[in-house]
Structure formats: C-alpha cells, structure tokens
Amino acid sequence: MAVDKSRDLNLRQQNVMRATVRHYVSTAEPVGSKALLDAYDLNVSAATVRNVMGALERSGFLYQPHTSAGRVPSDSGYRLYVDQLIKPSRPTALRIDQLLSQHLDWQGWSIEALLQEAAHILAHLSGYVALVTMPVLEKMVVKHLQLVQISAEQVLLVVVLDSYGTESMVVSLPRGTTGAGGTQDEEVLDRELQILSNFLTAQLCGRQLSEISSLDWDEVDTAEHHVVALCQAIDDLSRRKRQPQTHILVKGVADVLSQPEFAEQSQLRNLVSLLADGREQLWPLIYSDDSPLLKIWIGEENPLEPMQSCALISATYNRDSLPLGSVGVMGPTRMLYENTIAAVEATSSYLSEIMSGLDVNQ
C-alpha cells in the first residue's frame, strides 16, 4: 500500500509508533498490543492500541510479516521514527566523546592511526559496522616540499601533506640539465633544486597542491626548464590526488553480522563482499562534497541491493568549513537510531575539531 508520508500522526499514534519501534529493536520479534501494554506506560486500553496499530499498518508504517503475527516497522516507519519521533541521545554523545578523548592521542599519531582508532571506538560503542573514509587528499594542504636529485636527469619530488603523510613522484628533467657527468653541473643542479624547494614550500605551505597554477614563477631565480618540468609534475600529482578514492576504514563486521537479519547465507555473503571489495560503490553513499552534514539511508532507500536490509548513517568531518571525509555506521534497519545518530555526529564533530587544529607550520 502506498505510504502517505505527509500525514501527521496524532500524539497517541506517535506514542504507539515510538513504542513499537523500540520494542522491535530490543527483541527482534514482531510486536503485539499486549507486549506494548506490558512494557510501556501508554495509558490506553488494549483495544485502543490494536486500533492504532491497525491504522499505522494501513498507512504503511507497520506491517505483519505473516498472518496472526505481531507487527514490524517498515522502512517508511523507520523513516518516520527518525524524522519525527526521536532526538539524538545526549548521554550517548557524551559517552563517545569521552572515549575518543581518553583513547585518541592525536598529537602523536598519524591521521590514519587516529581514524582507525576512532572507527574501532565507534564500532564498539554502537555495536554496528563503523565506516570511516580517509581524508580527500586534494583537500589536505602542504606542510613541506623537497626536491632531491636522483641522477643527472631525474629528481624525486616529495610533498608532506598536513600530518597525513608524504606523497612522492620521480620527475624527469629535460636533457642537457647537466654535462657529461660533471661534478660542477650536479652541484649547480643541487643548488637550483634547493632554491626551488624553498620557493615551493614558502608558496604552497598551508595551501592545496591544486593551487600550483596560481604561483608567480617570475619570483624564483633558477633555470626555466626546471620550472616548467617541476610545475607540470606538481600539477600531475595534484590531479592524481583528485581522482575518486575508495579508502574506507571498516571495523565491527563480525559483531553486526551475528544479528538475526543476516542469518540468510546469500545475503550475508553479498554484504561481506560489498564491504571487502565494493568500497568504490560505498564511497558516494558515505561522502560527497555537497552532501548535508548528516545522511541517513534506510532499507530500500539504499541504491545498493546488498544494503537494502540495512541502515547507513553518516556525517562529514571537516577542516574548518572544508569537508575532508566522512564517518558512518551501518547495521540492520532494526537499529537504535537515537543512539547511533548521536554516536556518528559526536565522532564527526570530534574529528573535525582535530582536523581544524592541525598546524601545517609545525
């Protein structure tokens, strides 16, 4: 039956819907009116609860998995629950913020180690699969740049990006840069490479590699053919880093796959395969430059078939106002949404604070 998503529920319907979702989340068993009356203070009769549940079923928010069973929330019911009936759990947000503060020694760690530990904490606290994307490298900024002579016609370009790590590539210089193995020419090249290294570090420190095109090369006093070759190399490196990435850290798979929703072996295999080998498909669901801070996919809203029995909640983490990556949690649609949303938002906020505090001048 088509769902009238615009229909506002009255207070009694809201209370019954909220209780039904929470009971089903905790028991994984279809919910009947007696169970709700026994577990929740609804202050209505059993007949009233049955009538309300019937109305919610007709509206498409609940359904009966089989005749004479209790009722189960539909994907539309979960969407209603998330959008209208709950607020993120403040105690959960405080708990994960406390755990992150206690266990993440971000000043001494690489970004990858920090994100790995954040994913582990998020998976442990939520009980679901934690997904954390590595920073989009095109948006990480330069700390330092060094040019090292390898041979007469090859130079190693090394770029240190924030606290994330290094990127490097070998640059071929035009022929004729040095003489026939002359020591003096190699010394000249070393000196000019040092001049270029200092110039590029001074110009690019705290800026993105993609800004190479805006540099004023007239300010550097060295051989023009070096400038042309190295400018092209840095631009190539920047463009290479702008290619789509699929580096997603995944934690907590074993725990969530023990849930009854994944008892069917074919469904389990498809989901495990997606998490292991299909991360390029997951990437656009979790992260995009123009996505809202919080994204929630529920059941068949997910465009990937293996995830259509799952919910995916994600939020971006930023450097100042610039999105760098995303934090997400995936689990069955039978999810404790108020806790999971709070955990994801608190983790993204914590990581944003760290990223915004990175000092590229150190």
Side-chain angles (χ1 to χ4, degrees):
M1 184 178 195
V3 178
D4 181 7
K5 295 184 179 180
S6 65
R7 189 171 80 89
D8 291 330
L9 303 186
N10 61 41
L11 181 60
R12 181 172 293 170
Q13 290 171 327
Q14 291 178 26
N15 289 338
V16 171
M17 186 69 202
R18 188 183 295 111
T20 302
V21 173
R22 289 178 175 171
H23 198 73
Y24 183 63
V25 167
S26 66
T27 65
E29 297 290 338
V31 183
S33 57
K34 185 177 186 304
L36 292 185
L37 288 169
D38 290 343
Y40 300 90
D41 185 18
L42 296 175
N43 292 318
V44 293
S45 67
T48 298
V49 173
R50 285 194 295 272
N51 289 338
V52 172
M53 293 183 81
L56 292 170
E57 183 178 4
R58 289 189 295 274
S59 295
F61 299 124
L62 301 177
Y63 71 94
Q64 284 185 295
H66 49 83
T67 307
S68 77
R71 292 176 175 87
V72 170
S74 64
D75 290 347
S76 297
Y78 286 123
R79 172 54 66 187
L80 174 77
Y81 181 75
V82 166
D83 290 347
Q84 298 186 29
L85 302 182
I86 61 167
K87 294 181 180 179
S89 166
R90 181 64 176 162
T92 299
L94 292 174
R95 175 60 177 154
I96 198 161
D97 190 69
Q98 180 185 47
L99 288 171
L100 292 168
S101 299
Q102 290 174 348
H103 295 283
L104 267 61
D105 181 17
W106 65 271
Q107 291 184 333
W109 291 3
S110 70
I111 295 296
E112 181 168 1
L114 181 144
L115 295 179
Q116 288 274 12
E117 184 62 17
H120 174 77
I121 292 170
L122 182 57
H124 175 73
L125 184 68
S126 68
Y128 306 122
V129 176
L131 306 166
V132 180
T133 70
M134 293 294 289
V136 178
L137 288 184
E138 66 169 285
K139 296 183 178 179
M140 300 298 278
V141 298
V142 175
K143 286 183 66 174
H144 180 71
L145 187 147
Q146 186 67 44
L147 299 166
V148 181
Q149 183 179 355
I150 299 175
S151 67
E153 295 176 349
Q154 286 189 320
V155 171
L156 179 66
L157 166 64
V158 180
V159 182
V160 181
L161 297 169
D162 277 333
S163 297
Y164 175 71
T166 62
E167 296 294 324
S168 62
M169 69 183 301
V170 174
V171 183
S172 295
L173 298 180
R175 290 186 178 275
T177 298
T178 62
T183 302
Q184 180 63 33
D185 288 337
E186 290 186 4
E187 290 178 356
V188 170
L189 178 58
D190 277 339
R191 186 165 60 252
E192 292 192 337
L193 291 177
Q194 187 60 54
I195 292 172
L196 276 170
S197 295
N198 294 341
F199 169 76
L200 290 168
T201 295
Q203 293 293 315
L204 288 174
C205 184
R207 300 168 69 182
Q208 298 175 23
L209 271 181
S210 57
E211 295 183 64
I212 183 71
S213 60
S214 67
L215 299 188
D216 183 2
W217 289 96
D218 291 336
E219 295 182 13
V220 61
D221 182 21
T222 189
E224 182 179 350
H225 50 265
H226 296 173
V227 170
V228 173
L230 291 165
C231 178
Q232 183 61 52
I234 296 171
D235 189 54
D236 288 346
L237 182 64
S238 175
R239 259 188 286 108
R240 193 172 75 195
K241 292 304 148 193
R242 291 199 293 272
Q243 297 303 308
Q245 300 176 57
T246 58
H247 194 172
I248 303 175
L249 307 174
V250 179
K251 298 290 184 182
V253 175
D255 290 339
V256 78
L257 294 182
S258 64
Q259 298 284 348
E261 285 85 351
F262 305 113
E264 185 180 330
Q265 289 301 307
S266 62
Q267 183 185 42
L268 179 60
R269 283 194 301 271
N270 290 339
L271 188 59
V272 170
S273 176
L274 178 66
L275 291 171
D277 303 318
R279 297 183 188 183
E280 72 282 354
Q281 297 173 280
L282 278 173
W283 183 275
L285 300 185
I286 301 173
Y287 175 83
S288 63
D289 285 345
D290 57 354
S291 66
L293 181 61
L294 183 72
K295 294 172 66 176
I296 302 175
W297 301 84
I298 299 175
E300 292 187 356
E301 295 173 359
N302 285 294
L304 302 179
E305 193 277 334
M307 292 179 58
Q308 290 183 353
S309 61
C310 300
L312 174 63
I313 299 171
S314 65
T316 57
Y317 63 85
N318 306 319
R319 178 172 190 151
D320 300 321
S321 59
L322 183 71
L324 287 183
S326 188
V327 176
V329 162
M330 185 175 71
T333 54
R334 186 182 56 85
M335 177 184 285
L336 195 58
Y337 288 93
E338 49 266 65
N339 286 7
T340 307
I341 293 169
V344 168
E345 289 184 323
T347 303
S348 70
S349 177
Y350 190 88
L351 292 177
S352 294
E353 183 178 344
I354 289 176
M355 296 299 173
S356 298
L358 291 176
D359 184 358
V360 298
N361 296 309
Q362 290 183 351

